[in-house]
Amino acid sequence: MKKATLVQLATIALIVSFSVNVSHAGGDDFNSVVKMIEQYYNVKHEGLSFLAKAAIKTMGVGAKIKGGSARQLAEAGSIRLAMFEDQNFTGDFMKFRSSLNDSLQDNWTPLVQTISSENAEQSYIFVKENGDKFSVLIVMIEKREGTVVQATVSAKSLALLMKDPEEGAKTIREEATIVDKE
Amino acid sequence: MKSLFQQPPRTLLLVAFLVMVSAFTTRAQGPRIQLNNLDHLAAKASDTVDVTIDERLIQLAAKVFNEKDEDEAQIKKLVQGLKGIYVKSFEFDVDNGYAATDVDLIRAQLREPTWMRILNVTSKKEGNVEVYLSMSGNDITGLAVLSVEPRELTVVNIVGPVDLEKLTRLEGNLGIPDLGVEAPKKKKNEQ
């Protein structure tokens, strides 16, 4: 078998495993949050094809990290991503915030939560210990789009996030969702 | 002696009321102040920031901050012994987007003998900044900053051994906004 074919097969396997991981990890907080957003705002997150694209993109970031240009997710164990694009996020954000906090309070510690009613933007960062690493769950909702990112990060990345929570969350989200800039 | 259940209903009601009052005052008298009663302001505010760094996260911070990084080493040192950092900040598009009663709810918790106001800066242009220390004997057990501007209301509550100097060093880190509070100048013999 040619080397190029092997690489292609390996890529497909990685994409499939990533997508399956994102789509079928039933009963966990990431999926619960995605479902909660879907039910609360009556929206739908992107399907398999988009997730595959996201997987490629994530691998792209990984490659970039190896090259040494991006560092925040370098030590990350896994990234799970759900995106909502071009959809309508209208609803009482106070009720949403309360539901989100209630659903995560047993396992996660809220770090920072921001709401801008003027721009209809909400961001939530939750943290928990995960062995010798840490998990962060970031929910960002704007007027027409939303993102849920769960990432396992190293102590170094967590330190960055805690030093400047808003900037750190932005970095993690941007690195997990760079698609067209690559 | 009659047991509690044999008491007339009025006495039981009185006991229940006293227990509730005592529970509330006990909670309000500690170095952790209740900020949840400001949550309703988020619906009126143009921007809301809510930072919760509890003891678990502080311990994490102490663990993850790198001693070799000058900046992180300093934060690590500063957060040692702290039990929580809580920030709520609301920005409004119009003047007085919050009511005086909202501010009073916070001030009511910052009363003597537990709390002592150590700084009160009033500026017509920039509003009012009040800094309070919670004391237990000679030990500082917490700090609270209440910043009241016509279009902004910010409350910072740090639980644990903290003083003004520590606060000024923590400003801009760990979600603590830059409050513009100046640390007291050291006397010559302290330097």
Side-chain angles (χ1 to χ4, degrees):
Chain A
M1 201 181 282
K2 281 182 184 175
K3 200 179 168 185
T5 318
L6 271 173
V7 171
Q8 276 175 351
L9 278 174
T11 308
I12 291 166
L14 263 171
I15 292 167
V16 169
S17 68
F18 180 87
S19 307
V20 168
N21 184 33
V22 171
S23 308
H24 299 292
D28 64 18
D29 293 325
F30 176 84
N31 276 354
S32 304
V33 168
V34 172
K35 269 183 196 159
M36 206 194 90
I37 294 171
E38 288 183 335
Q39 282 166 5
Y40 190 87
Y41 286 108
N42 199 18
V43 292
K44 201 94 191 112
H45 78 278
E46 300 290 342
L48 193 70
S49 59
F50 180 84
L51 288 173
K53 202 175 164 190
I56 293 168
K57 175 185 65 182
T58 308
M59 286 169 10
V61 172
K64 213 170 126 188
I65 287 164
K66 276 184 189 168
S69 58
R71 291 195 48 83
Q72 318 316 331
L73 296 176
E75 302 99 330
S78 69
I79 303 161
R80 302 173 71 192
L81 174 71
M83 293 193 79
F84 303 83
E85 286 203 320
D86 201 23
Q87 299 187 55
N88 200 11
F89 286 92
T90 45
D92 184 339
F93 49 69
M94 291 308 291
K95 275 189 193 158
F96 174 75
R97 181 167 91 156
S98 170
S99 308
L100 184 67
N101 284 328
D102 287 350
S103 69
L104 296 174
Q105 68 175 355
D106 291 340
N107 302 324
W108 297 81
T109 307
L111 175 61
V112 65
Q113 312 200 335
T114 65
I115 294 172
S116 167
S117 57
E118 201 171 34
N119 306 317
E121 287 175 6
Q122 307 170 62
S123 68
Y124 305 89
I125 306 169
F126 297 87
V127 182
K128 72 171 177 183
E129 272 190 277
N130 186 0
D132 59 344
K133 291 190 177 177
F134 306 92
S135 292
V136 292
L137 180 63
I138 298 168
V139 179
M140 287 187 168
I141 292 174
E142 293 170 25
K143 261 182 202 161
R144 302 285 302 167
E145 58 188 58
T147 312
V148 182
V149 184
Q150 184 178 322
T152 306
V153 298
S154 65
K156 196 177 174 185
S157 298
L158 184 72
L160 183 97
L161 188 68
M162 289 187 76
K163 255 163 74 180
D164 191 345
E166 285 184 65
E167 197 53 40
K170 224 164 99 184
T171 309
I172 288 177
R173 186 180 76 150
E174 277 170 8
E175 288 195 9
T177 56
I178 303 163
V179 181
D180 301 317
K181 290 175 194 165
E182 293 282 272
Chain B
M1 192 179 142
K2 283 182 180 177
S3 81
L4 189 65
F5 295 101
Q6 291 168 316
Q7 300 292 339
R10 234 173 69 180
T11 315
L12 282 177
L13 270 175
L14 185 69
V15 169
F17 176 74
L18 288 173
V19 167
M20 274 169 64
V21 167
S22 129
F24 177 78
T25 47
T26 305
R27 214 168 45 164
Q29 275 173 1
R32 169 97 194 260
I33 56 173
Q34 298 303 309
L35 301 176
N36 291 348
N37 42 26
L38 296 179
D39 280 350
H40 69 280
L41 291 175
K44 295 182 202 166
S46 55
D47 286 295
T48 304
V49 177
D50 197 334
V51 178
T52 308
I53 301 181
D54 61 11
E55 195 169 4
R56 208 162 47 152
L57 280 180
I58 297 239
Q59 281 167 2
L60 273 185
K63 221 191 285 181
V64 300
F65 286 143
N66 188 352
E67 296 268 9
K68 287 173 190 164
D69 180 311
E70 200 182 320
D71 199 22
E72 288 183 21
Q74 188 185 314
I75 302 173
K76 191 171 180 161
K77 207 174 153 191
L78 290 170
V79 300
Q80 262 170 13
L82 295 187
K83 291 187 166 63
I85 297 172
Y86 307 92
V87 180
K88 270 196 203 284
S89 182
F90 304 92
E91 257 184 68
F92 302 89
D93 283 336
V94 290
D95 283 2
N96 304 316
Y98 53 89
T101 48
D102 295 317
V103 182
D104 290 343
L105 278 172
I106 302 301
R107 281 203 188 107
Q109 298 179 60
L110 302 170
R111 287 206 172 138
E112 289 180 1
T114 310
W115 289 92
M116 183 174 71
R117 192 166 69 187
I118 55 161
L119 190 74
N120 185 15
V121 180
T122 310
S123 153
K124 271 188 183 171
K125 202 177 163 189
E126 291 171 15
N128 194 38
V129 178
E130 295 160 37
V131 182
Y132 297 82
L133 281 184
S134 156
M135 306 289 293
S136 174
N138 289 327
D139 299 326
I140 298 172
T141 55
L143 180 145
V145 181
L146 177 61
S147 172
V148 184
E149 293 178 34
R151 294 190 178 195
E152 199 171 327
L153 177 64
T154 302
V155 187
V156 177
N157 181 204
I158 302 177
V159 182
V162 61
D163 54 21
L164 259 187
E165 199 188 336
K166 240 185 193 185
L167 170 74
T168 53
R169 286 197 195 171
L170 282 169
E171 276 180 301
N173 289 300
L174 301 167
I176 299 172
D178 200 343
L179 296 155
V181 176
E182 280 182 32
K185 283 173 188 158
K186 282 184 179 173
K187 288 174 190 166
K188 272 184 185 171
N189 58 4
E190 284 178 330
Q191 285 174 330

